[in-house]
Amino acid sequence: MAGEIKITKKTARKGDDGHKIVSVRMKEELLERLDTLSAKTNRSRNELINLLLESAIDIVTVEE
């Protein structure tokens, strides 16, 4: 995967609406990496997953 995704640290705040709940299975190693990034950026797992997916979905190509 080319490029870099930059995520800034966040100050604490609560109360975002308009989202749907989705359950995702992932390997323990990936979850640990996500938790490390969460601690470094002061962002929740949920927020990081959304930021990463939003960035990645725009650079995906489908091969047939």
Side-chain angles (χ1 to χ4, degrees):
M1 189 184 249
E4 181 178 46
I5 298 172
K6 294 184 180 183
I7 298 174
T8 59
K9 287 188 177 185
K10 176 187 168 184
T11 56
R13 75 175 184 152
K14 295 182 181 182
D16 289 323
D17 287 355
H19 295 89
K20 295 197 178 205
I21 297 172
V22 178
S23 176
V24 177
R25 290 173 39 119
M26 64 180 69
K27 292 185 178 182
E28 189 171 336
E29 179 184 315
L30 182 57
L31 184 58
E32 289 171 0
R33 291 175 65 192
L34 188 60
D35 286 342
T36 299
L37 185 58
S38 176
K40 286 181 181 178
T41 60
N42 197 31
R43 293 179 181 267
S44 68
R45 283 182 189 163
N46 178 67
E47 188 171 6
L48 287 174
I49 290 168
N50 277 288
L51 287 169
L52 295 169
L53 286 174
E54 284 179 20
S55 296
I57 202 163
D58 292 334
I59 59 173
V60 170
T61 57
V62 178
E63 296 182 358
E64 295 189 31

Short mmCIF file of all heavy atoms in Angstrom, two decimals:
data_model
loop_
_atom_site.label_atom_id
_atom_site.label_comp_id
_atom_site.label_asym_id
_atom_site.label_seq_id
_atom_site.Cartn_x
_atom_site.Cartn_y
_atom_site.Cartn_z
N MET A 1 0.85 -1.17 0.00
CA MET A 1 0.00 0.00 0.00
C MET A 1 0.90 1.24 0.00
O MET A 1 1.80 1.36 0.81
CB MET A 1 -0.90 -0.04 1.22
CG MET A 1 -1.96 1.01 1.21
SD MET A 1 -2.90 0.96 2.73
CE MET A 1 -4.44 0.37 2.14
N ALA A 2 0.67 2.14 -0.88
CA ALA A 2 1.49 3.34 -1.00
C ALA A 2 0.90 4.47 -0.18
O ALA A 2 -0.29 4.51 0.10
CB ALA A 2 1.57 3.75 -2.47
N GLY A 3 1.76 5.40 0.19
CA GLY A 3 1.28 6.60 0.87
C GLY A 3 1.33 6.48 2.37
O GLY A 3 1.74 5.48 2.94
N GLU A 4 0.89 7.53 3.02
CA GLU A 4 0.91 7.60 4.47
C GLU A 4 -0.39 8.21 4.94
O GLU A 4 -0.90 9.16 4.34
CB GLU A 4 2.09 8.47 4.90
CG GLU A 4 2.25 8.62 6.37
CD GLU A 4 3.46 9.46 6.73
OE1 GLU A 4 3.64 10.53 6.12
OE2 GLU A 4 4.20 9.03 7.61
N ILE A 5 -0.94 7.67 6.00
CA ILE A 5 -2.15 8.21 6.61
C ILE A 5 -1.72 8.91 7.88
O ILE A 5 -1.12 8.31 8.76
CB ILE A 5 -3.17 7.10 6.93
CG1 ILE A 5 -3.61 6.41 5.64
CG2 ILE A 5 -4.36 7.67 7.68
CD1 ILE A 5 -4.47 5.20 5.86
N LYS A 6 -2.00 10.22 7.98
CA LYS A 6 -1.62 10.99 9.16
C LYS A 6 -2.84 11.19 10.05
O LYS A 6 -3.90 11.55 9.58
CB LYS A 6 -1.04 12.34 8.76
CG LYS A 6 0.27 12.20 8.02
CD LYS A 6 0.88 13.54 7.72
CE LYS A 6 2.19 13.33 6.98
NZ LYS A 6 2.87 14.57 6.73
N ILE A 7 -2.66 10.93 11.35
CA ILE A 7 -3.72 11.09 12.33
C ILE A 7 -3.19 11.98 13.44
O ILE A 7 -2.14 11.72 14.00
CB ILE A 7 -4.17 9.73 12.91
CG1 ILE A 7 -4.72 8.85 11.79
CG2 ILE A 7 -5.19 9.93 14.01
CD1 ILE A 7 -5.06 7.46 12.22
N THR A 8 -3.92 13.03 13.74
CA THR A 8 -3.51 13.95 14.79
C THR A 8 -4.05 13.50 16.15
O THR A 8 -5.02 12.75 16.22
CB THR A 8 -4.02 15.37 14.52
OG1 THR A 8 -5.45 15.34 14.45
CG2 THR A 8 -3.45 15.91 13.21
N LYS A 9 -3.42 13.97 17.21
CA LYS A 9 -3.93 13.70 18.54
C LYS A 9 -5.23 14.47 18.74
O LYS A 9 -5.44 15.52 18.15
CB LYS A 9 -2.92 14.13 19.61
CG LYS A 9 -1.75 13.20 19.70
CD LYS A 9 -0.90 13.56 20.90
CE LYS A 9 0.24 12.59 21.04
NZ LYS A 9 1.02 12.84 22.25
N LYS A 10 -6.09 13.95 19.57
CA LYS A 10 -7.40 14.54 19.79
C LYS A 10 -7.59 14.87 21.26
O LYS A 10 -7.16 14.14 22.13
CB LYS A 10 -8.47 13.55 19.35
CG LYS A 10 -9.87 14.00 19.61
CD LYS A 10 -10.83 12.88 19.30
CE LYS A 10 -12.19 13.23 19.85
NZ LYS A 10 -13.14 12.18 19.66
N THR A 11 -8.25 15.96 21.52
CA THR A 11 -8.63 16.28 22.89
C THR A 11 -9.92 15.54 23.21
O THR A 11 -10.72 15.25 22.32
CB THR A 11 -8.84 17.80 23.08
OG1 THR A 11 -9.82 18.24 22.15
CG2 THR A 11 -7.55 18.56 22.84
N ALA A 12 -10.14 15.24 24.46
CA ALA A 12 -11.31 14.46 24.87
C ALA A 12 -12.61 15.22 24.62
O ALA A 12 -12.72 16.39 24.91
CB ALA A 12 -11.19 14.11 26.34
N ARG A 13 -13.61 14.52 24.04
CA ARG A 13 -14.96 15.05 23.88
C ARG A 13 -15.91 13.88 23.65
O ARG A 13 -15.51 12.80 23.24
CB ARG A 13 -15.06 16.06 22.75
CG ARG A 13 -15.03 15.45 21.39
CD ARG A 13 -15.24 16.47 20.31
NE ARG A 13 -15.29 15.74 19.06
CZ ARG A 13 -15.94 16.11 18.00
NH1 ARG A 13 -16.58 17.25 17.99
NH2 ARG A 13 -15.96 15.38 16.93
N LYS A 14 -17.18 14.09 23.87
CA LYS A 14 -18.17 13.02 23.75
C LYS A 14 -19.38 13.50 22.97
O LYS A 14 -19.62 14.70 22.85
CB LYS A 14 -18.63 12.56 25.13
CG LYS A 14 -17.54 11.93 25.95
CD LYS A 14 -18.09 11.45 27.28
CE LYS A 14 -16.99 10.83 28.11
NZ LYS A 14 -17.46 10.32 29.38
N GLY A 15 -20.17 12.54 22.43
CA GLY A 15 -21.48 12.87 21.91
C GLY A 15 -21.63 12.96 20.40
O GLY A 15 -22.19 13.92 19.92
N ASP A 16 -21.16 11.99 19.62
CA ASP A 16 -21.41 11.98 18.18
C ASP A 16 -22.60 11.06 17.90
O ASP A 16 -22.67 9.96 18.41
CB ASP A 16 -20.18 11.48 17.41
CG ASP A 16 -19.05 12.47 17.43
OD1 ASP A 16 -19.31 13.68 17.36
OD2 ASP A 16 -17.90 12.03 17.51
N ASP A 17 -23.53 11.50 17.06
CA ASP A 17 -24.69 10.69 16.69
C ASP A 17 -24.66 10.38 15.19
O ASP A 17 -23.79 10.82 14.47
CB ASP A 17 -25.99 11.41 17.02
CG ASP A 17 -26.27 11.45 18.51
OD1 ASP A 17 -25.51 10.84 19.28
OD2 ASP A 17 -27.25 12.08 18.89
N GLY A 18 -25.66 9.63 14.72
CA GLY A 18 -25.78 9.35 13.30
C GLY A 18 -24.91 8.20 12.82
O GLY A 18 -24.60 8.10 11.63
N HIS A 19 -24.51 7.32 13.70
CA HIS A 19 -23.66 6.19 13.33
C HIS A 19 -24.41 4.88 13.55
O HIS A 19 -25.32 4.81 14.37
CB HIS A 19 -22.38 6.19 14.18
CG HIS A 19 -21.52 7.37 13.92
ND1 HIS A 19 -21.66 8.55 14.63
CD2 HIS A 19 -20.51 7.57 13.06
CE1 HIS A 19 -20.77 9.42 14.20
NE2 HIS A 19 -20.07 8.86 13.24
N LYS A 20 -24.01 3.85 12.82
CA LYS A 20 -24.58 2.52 13.01
C LYS A 20 -23.53 1.62 13.64
O LYS A 20 -22.34 1.79 13.40
CB LYS A 20 -25.02 1.94 11.67
CG LYS A 20 -26.15 2.72 11.06
CD LYS A 20 -26.84 1.96 9.99
CE LYS A 20 -27.98 2.81 9.49
NZ LYS A 20 -29.03 2.06 8.92
N ILE A 21 -23.98 0.68 14.43
CA ILE A 21 -23.08 -0.26 15.11
C ILE A 21 -22.78 -1.43 14.18
O ILE A 21 -23.69 -2.02 13.59
CB ILE A 21 -23.70 -0.76 16.42
CG1 ILE A 21 -23.90 0.42 17.37
CG2 ILE A 21 -22.83 -1.84 17.05
CD1 ILE A 21 -24.68 0.07 18.62
N VAL A 22 -21.49 -1.77 14.07
CA VAL A 22 -21.03 -2.88 13.25
C VAL A 22 -20.06 -3.71 14.07
O VAL A 22 -19.21 -3.17 14.77
CB VAL A 22 -20.30 -2.36 11.98
CG1 VAL A 22 -19.78 -3.50 11.15
CG2 VAL A 22 -21.22 -1.48 11.17
N SER A 23 -20.19 -5.00 14.01
CA SER A 23 -19.27 -5.90 14.72
C SER A 23 -18.23 -6.41 13.73
O SER A 23 -18.57 -6.82 12.62
CB SER A 23 -20.06 -7.07 15.30
OG SER A 23 -19.18 -7.98 15.91
N VAL A 24 -16.96 -6.39 14.14
CA VAL A 24 -15.87 -6.82 13.25
C VAL A 24 -14.96 -7.78 14.01
O VAL A 24 -14.57 -7.52 15.14
CB VAL A 24 -15.04 -5.60 12.79
CG1 VAL A 24 -13.87 -6.03 11.93
CG2 VAL A 24 -15.91 -4.60 12.06
N ARG A 25 -14.61 -8.89 13.37
CA ARG A 25 -13.63 -9.81 13.93
C ARG A 25 -12.27 -9.42 13.38
O ARG A 25 -12.14 -9.14 12.20
CB ARG A 25 -13.95 -11.24 13.54
CG ARG A 25 -15.18 -11.79 14.21
CD ARG A 25 -15.55 -13.15 13.65
NE ARG A 25 -14.40 -14.00 13.37
CZ ARG A 25 -14.17 -15.17 13.95
NH1 ARG A 25 -15.00 -15.63 14.84
NH2 ARG A 25 -13.12 -15.89 13.61
N MET A 26 -11.25 -9.42 14.23
CA MET A 26 -9.90 -9.14 13.76
C MET A 26 -8.91 -9.92 14.58
O MET A 26 -9.19 -10.32 15.71
CB MET A 26 -9.59 -7.65 13.77
CG MET A 26 -9.57 -6.99 15.12
SD MET A 26 -9.19 -5.23 15.08
CE MET A 26 -10.63 -4.56 14.31
N LYS A 27 -7.74 -10.13 14.00
CA LYS A 27 -6.69 -10.86 14.69
C LYS A 27 -6.19 -10.06 15.87
O LYS A 27 -6.19 -8.83 15.87
CB LYS A 27 -5.54 -11.16 13.74
CG LYS A 27 -5.93 -12.14 12.66
CD LYS A 27 -4.75 -12.52 11.81
CE LYS A 27 -5.19 -13.55 10.78
NZ LYS A 27 -4.07 -13.98 9.95
N GLU A 28 -5.74 -10.79 16.90
CA GLU A 28 -5.29 -10.16 18.13
C GLU A 28 -4.12 -9.19 17.87
O GLU A 28 -4.06 -8.12 18.46
CB GLU A 28 -4.86 -11.22 19.13
CG GLU A 28 -4.58 -10.67 20.51
CD GLU A 28 -4.37 -11.76 21.54
OE1 GLU A 28 -4.86 -12.88 21.36
OE2 GLU A 28 -3.70 -11.46 22.54
N GLU A 29 -3.22 -9.55 16.96
CA GLU A 29 -2.08 -8.69 16.64
C GLU A 29 -2.54 -7.34 16.09
O GLU A 29 -2.01 -6.28 16.46
CB GLU A 29 -1.16 -9.37 15.63
CG GLU A 29 0.03 -8.53 15.24
CD GLU A 29 0.88 -9.19 14.16
OE1 GLU A 29 1.15 -10.40 14.27
OE2 GLU A 29 1.26 -8.49 13.21
N LEU A 30 -3.53 -7.35 15.22
CA LEU A 30 -4.06 -6.11 14.66
C LEU A 30 -4.74 -5.28 15.74
O LEU A 30 -4.58 -4.06 15.79
CB LEU A 30 -5.04 -6.41 13.52
CG LEU A 30 -5.64 -5.21 12.80
CD1 LEU A 30 -4.55 -4.31 12.23
CD2 LEU A 30 -6.57 -5.68 11.70
N LEU A 31 -5.46 -5.94 16.63
CA LEU A 31 -6.12 -5.24 17.73
C LEU A 31 -5.09 -4.58 18.65
O LEU A 31 -5.27 -3.44 19.09
CB LEU A 31 -7.00 -6.20 18.51
CG LEU A 31 -7.83 -5.60 19.63
CD1 LEU A 31 -8.75 -4.51 19.10
CD2 LEU A 31 -8.64 -6.68 20.32
N GLU A 32 -3.99 -5.27 18.90
CA GLU A 32 -2.92 -4.69 19.73
C GLU A 32 -2.31 -3.46 19.06
O GLU A 32 -2.04 -2.46 19.71
CB GLU A 32 -1.84 -5.73 20.00
CG GLU A 32 -2.29 -6.82 20.96
CD GLU A 32 -1.31 -7.98 21.06
OE1 GLU A 32 -0.24 -7.95 20.39
OE2 GLU A 32 -1.60 -8.92 21.82
N ARG A 33 -2.11 -3.53 17.75
CA ARG A 33 -1.58 -2.38 17.00
C ARG A 33 -2.56 -1.21 17.06
O ARG A 33 -2.16 -0.06 17.21
CB ARG A 33 -1.29 -2.78 15.56
CG ARG A 33 -0.12 -3.74 15.43
CD ARG A 33 0.08 -4.21 14.02
NE ARG A 33 0.46 -3.10 13.15
CZ ARG A 33 0.47 -3.18 11.83
NH1 ARG A 33 0.12 -4.28 11.21
NH2 ARG A 33 0.82 -2.12 11.12
N LEU A 34 -3.83 -1.52 16.96
CA LEU A 34 -4.86 -0.49 17.03
C LEU A 34 -4.88 0.15 18.42
O LEU A 34 -4.98 1.37 18.54
CB LEU A 34 -6.22 -1.11 16.70
CG LEU A 34 -7.40 -0.18 16.54
CD1 LEU A 34 -7.16 0.82 15.42
CD2 LEU A 34 -8.65 -0.99 16.25
N ASP A 35 -4.76 -0.66 19.46
CA ASP A 35 -4.73 -0.14 20.83
C ASP A 35 -3.51 0.75 21.06
O ASP A 35 -3.60 1.77 21.75
CB ASP A 35 -4.76 -1.27 21.84
CG ASP A 35 -6.13 -1.92 21.95
OD1 ASP A 35 -7.12 -1.29 21.52
OD2 ASP A 35 -6.22 -3.05 22.46
N THR A 36 -2.37 0.39 20.50
CA THR A 36 -1.16 1.20 20.62
C THR A 36 -1.37 2.55 19.95
O THR A 36 -1.04 3.60 20.51
CB THR A 36 0.04 0.48 19.99
OG1 THR A 36 0.25 -0.75 20.68
CG2 THR A 36 1.30 1.32 20.05
N LEU A 37 -1.94 2.53 18.76
CA LEU A 37 -2.23 3.77 18.04
C LEU A 37 -3.25 4.60 18.80
O LEU A 37 -3.14 5.83 18.87
CB LEU A 37 -2.73 3.46 16.63
CG LEU A 37 -2.96 4.64 15.70
CD1 LEU A 37 -1.69 5.45 15.52
CD2 LEU A 37 -3.47 4.14 14.36
N SER A 38 -4.21 3.95 19.41
CA SER A 38 -5.22 4.64 20.20
C SER A 38 -4.59 5.38 21.37
O SER A 38 -4.92 6.54 21.63
CB SER A 38 -6.25 3.62 20.71
OG SER A 38 -7.18 4.22 21.55
N ALA A 39 -3.67 4.74 22.04
CA ALA A 39 -2.99 5.37 23.18
C ALA A 39 -2.13 6.55 22.73
O ALA A 39 -2.10 7.59 23.39
CB ALA A 39 -2.13 4.34 23.91
N LYS A 40 -1.47 6.41 21.59
CA LYS A 40 -0.60 7.49 21.08
C LYS A 40 -1.38 8.71 20.63
O LYS A 40 -0.90 9.83 20.72
CB LYS A 40 0.25 6.98 19.91
CG LYS A 40 1.36 6.06 20.31
CD LYS A 40 2.15 5.64 19.08
CE LYS A 40 3.27 4.70 19.44
NZ LYS A 40 4.01 4.26 18.23
N THR A 41 -2.58 8.49 20.11
CA THR A 41 -3.35 9.59 19.51
C THR A 41 -4.47 10.11 20.40
O THR A 41 -5.14 11.07 20.05
CB THR A 41 -3.96 9.16 18.16
OG1 THR A 41 -4.83 8.05 18.38
CG2 THR A 41 -2.88 8.80 17.16
N ASN A 42 -4.72 9.43 21.51
CA ASN A 42 -5.82 9.80 22.41
C ASN A 42 -7.17 9.72 21.69
O ASN A 42 -8.06 10.53 21.91
CB ASN A 42 -5.60 11.19 23.02
CG ASN A 42 -6.46 11.44 24.23
OD1 ASN A 42 -6.77 10.51 24.97
ND2 ASN A 42 -6.86 12.67 24.44
N ARG A 43 -7.30 8.75 20.80
CA ARG A 43 -8.55 8.51 20.08
C ARG A 43 -9.03 7.09 20.39
O ARG A 43 -8.23 6.20 20.65
CB ARG A 43 -8.35 8.65 18.57
CG ARG A 43 -8.03 10.08 18.15
CD ARG A 43 -7.82 10.17 16.64
NE ARG A 43 -7.48 11.52 16.25
CZ ARG A 43 -8.36 12.44 15.86
NH1 ARG A 43 -9.64 12.15 15.85
NH2 ARG A 43 -7.96 13.63 15.50
N SER A 44 -10.33 6.87 20.33
CA SER A 44 -10.89 5.55 20.61
C SER A 44 -10.62 4.60 19.44
O SER A 44 -10.32 5.03 18.33
CB SER A 44 -12.39 5.65 20.83
OG SER A 44 -13.04 6.01 19.62
N ARG A 45 -10.72 3.31 19.72
CA ARG A 45 -10.61 2.31 18.65
C ARG A 45 -11.62 2.63 17.55
O ARG A 45 -11.31 2.58 16.37
CB ARG A 45 -10.96 0.92 19.17
CG ARG A 45 -9.93 0.24 19.97
CD ARG A 45 -10.48 -1.14 20.32
NE ARG A 45 -9.65 -1.81 21.28
CZ ARG A 45 -10.05 -2.83 21.99
NH1 ARG A 45 -11.27 -3.31 21.85
NH2 ARG A 45 -9.23 -3.40 22.84
N ASN A 46 -12.85 2.90 17.96
CA ASN A 46 -13.92 3.18 17.02
C ASN A 46 -13.56 4.34 16.09
O ASN A 46 -13.72 4.26 14.87
CB ASN A 46 -15.20 3.50 17.79
CG ASN A 46 -16.34 3.85 16.87
OD1 ASN A 46 -16.83 3.02 16.14
ND2 ASN A 46 -16.75 5.11 16.89
N GLU A 47 -13.07 5.42 16.68
CA GLU A 47 -12.74 6.58 15.86
C GLU A 47 -11.58 6.28 14.91
O GLU A 47 -11.61 6.67 13.74
CB GLU A 47 -12.38 7.77 16.76
CG GLU A 47 -12.22 9.05 15.97
CD GLU A 47 -12.08 10.26 16.85
OE1 GLU A 47 -11.99 10.12 18.08
OE2 GLU A 47 -12.08 11.37 16.28
N LEU A 48 -10.58 5.57 15.40
CA LEU A 48 -9.45 5.21 14.54
C LEU A 48 -9.88 4.31 13.39
O LEU A 48 -9.46 4.51 12.25
CB LEU A 48 -8.35 4.52 15.35
CG LEU A 48 -7.56 5.42 16.28
CD1 LEU A 48 -6.61 4.61 17.13
CD2 LEU A 48 -6.80 6.47 15.49
N ILE A 49 -10.71 3.33 13.68
CA ILE A 49 -11.19 2.43 12.62
C ILE A 49 -11.92 3.23 11.55
O ILE A 49 -11.70 3.04 10.35
CB ILE A 49 -12.09 1.32 13.20
CG1 ILE A 49 -11.23 0.36 14.03
CG2 ILE A 49 -12.84 0.58 12.10
CD1 ILE A 49 -12.03 -0.61 14.89
N ASN A 50 -12.77 4.18 11.96
CA ASN A 50 -13.48 5.01 11.00
C ASN A 50 -12.52 5.88 10.19
O ASN A 50 -12.66 5.98 8.96
CB ASN A 50 -14.53 5.87 11.70
CG ASN A 50 -15.81 5.12 11.94
OD1 ASN A 50 -16.55 4.85 11.02
ND2 ASN A 50 -16.05 4.76 13.19
N LEU A 51 -11.55 6.50 10.85
CA LEU A 51 -10.57 7.33 10.13
C LEU A 51 -9.77 6.51 9.12
O LEU A 51 -9.57 6.93 7.97
CB LEU A 51 -9.61 8.00 11.12
CG LEU A 51 -10.16 9.14 11.95
CD1 LEU A 51 -9.19 9.51 13.07
CD2 LEU A 51 -10.44 10.35 11.07
N LEU A 52 -9.32 5.35 9.55
CA LEU A 52 -8.53 4.49 8.67
C LEU A 52 -9.34 3.97 7.49
O LEU A 52 -8.86 3.94 6.35
CB LEU A 52 -7.91 3.34 9.47
CG LEU A 52 -6.89 3.77 10.52
CD1 LEU A 52 -6.54 2.61 11.44
CD2 LEU A 52 -5.64 4.34 9.86
N LEU A 53 -10.58 3.56 7.75
CA LEU A 53 -11.44 3.09 6.66
C LEU A 53 -11.77 4.20 5.67
O LEU A 53 -11.77 3.97 4.45
CB LEU A 53 -12.72 2.47 7.21
CG LEU A 53 -12.58 1.10 7.86
CD1 LEU A 53 -13.90 0.68 8.51
CD2 LEU A 53 -12.13 0.07 6.83
N GLU A 54 -12.06 5.38 6.18
CA GLU A 54 -12.36 6.51 5.29
C GLU A 54 -11.17 6.82 4.38
O GLU A 54 -11.34 7.13 3.20
CB GLU A 54 -12.73 7.75 6.09
CG GLU A 54 -14.13 7.69 6.65
CD GLU A 54 -14.48 8.93 7.46
OE1 GLU A 54 -13.82 9.98 7.30
OE2 GLU A 54 -15.42 8.84 8.27
N SER A 55 -9.97 6.73 4.92
CA SER A 55 -8.77 7.00 4.12
C SER A 55 -8.50 5.88 3.12
O SER A 55 -8.16 6.14 1.98
CB SER A 55 -7.55 7.15 5.04
OG SER A 55 -7.69 8.26 5.86
N ALA A 56 -8.68 4.64 3.56
CA ALA A 56 -8.34 3.50 2.71
C ALA A 56 -9.35 3.27 1.59
O ALA A 56 -8.97 2.86 0.49
CB ALA A 56 -8.21 2.25 3.56
N ILE A 57 -10.61 3.53 1.84
CA ILE A 57 -11.63 3.20 0.84
C ILE A 57 -11.45 4.00 -0.45
O ILE A 57 -11.79 3.53 -1.54
CB ILE A 57 -13.06 3.37 1.42
CG1 ILE A 57 -14.05 2.54 0.62
CG2 ILE A 57 -13.45 4.83 1.51
CD1 ILE A 57 -15.35 2.30 1.33
N ASP A 58 -10.85 5.18 -0.34
CA ASP A 58 -10.63 6.02 -1.53
C ASP A 58 -9.46 5.54 -2.39
O ASP A 58 -9.33 5.97 -3.53
CB ASP A 58 -10.39 7.47 -1.11
CG ASP A 58 -11.64 8.11 -0.52
OD1 ASP A 58 -12.76 7.67 -0.86
OD2 ASP A 58 -11.50 9.03 0.30
N ILE A 59 -8.61 4.69 -1.85
CA ILE A 59 -7.45 4.24 -2.63
C ILE A 59 -7.55 2.76 -3.04
O ILE A 59 -6.59 2.19 -3.55
CB ILE A 59 -6.13 4.49 -1.87
CG1 ILE A 59 -6.11 3.78 -0.52
CG2 ILE A 59 -5.90 5.99 -1.70
CD1 ILE A 59 -4.77 3.87 0.20
N VAL A 60 -8.72 2.17 -2.85
CA VAL A 60 -8.93 0.77 -3.23
C VAL A 60 -9.27 0.68 -4.71
O VAL A 60 -10.06 1.47 -5.22
CB VAL A 60 -10.07 0.16 -2.39
CG1 VAL A 60 -10.47 -1.22 -2.92
CG2 VAL A 60 -9.69 0.06 -0.93
N THR A 61 -8.67 -0.31 -5.37
CA THR A 61 -9.08 -0.63 -6.74
C THR A 61 -9.56 -2.07 -6.77
O THR A 61 -9.02 -2.92 -6.08
CB THR A 61 -7.91 -0.44 -7.74
OG1 THR A 61 -6.82 -1.26 -7.33
CG2 THR A 61 -7.47 0.98 -7.82
N VAL A 62 -10.59 -2.32 -7.54
CA VAL A 62 -11.15 -3.67 -7.66
C VAL A 62 -10.64 -4.29 -8.95
O VAL A 62 -10.82 -3.73 -10.03
CB VAL A 62 -12.69 -3.61 -7.66
CG1 VAL A 62 -13.27 -5.01 -7.83
CG2 VAL A 62 -13.20 -2.96 -6.37
N GLU A 63 -9.99 -5.44 -8.81
CA GLU A 63 -9.49 -6.16 -9.98
C GLU A 63 -10.44 -7.30 -10.31
O GLU A 63 -10.92 -7.98 -9.43
CB GLU A 63 -8.09 -6.72 -9.71
CG GLU A 63 -7.06 -5.65 -9.48
CD GLU A 63 -5.67 -6.24 -9.24
OE1 GLU A 63 -5.54 -7.47 -9.22
OE2 GLU A 63 -4.74 -5.44 -9.05
N GLU A 64 -10.70 -7.45 -11.59
CA GLU A 64 -11.61 -8.52 -12.01
C GLU A 64 -10.87 -9.56 -12.79
O GLU A 64 -9.86 -9.37 -13.34
CB GLU A 64 -12.73 -7.93 -12.87
CG GLU A 64 -13.57 -7.00 -12.02
CD GLU A 64 -14.83 -6.55 -12.73
OE1 GLU A 64 -15.36 -7.31 -13.55
OE2 GLU A 64 -15.27 -5.44 -12.44
#
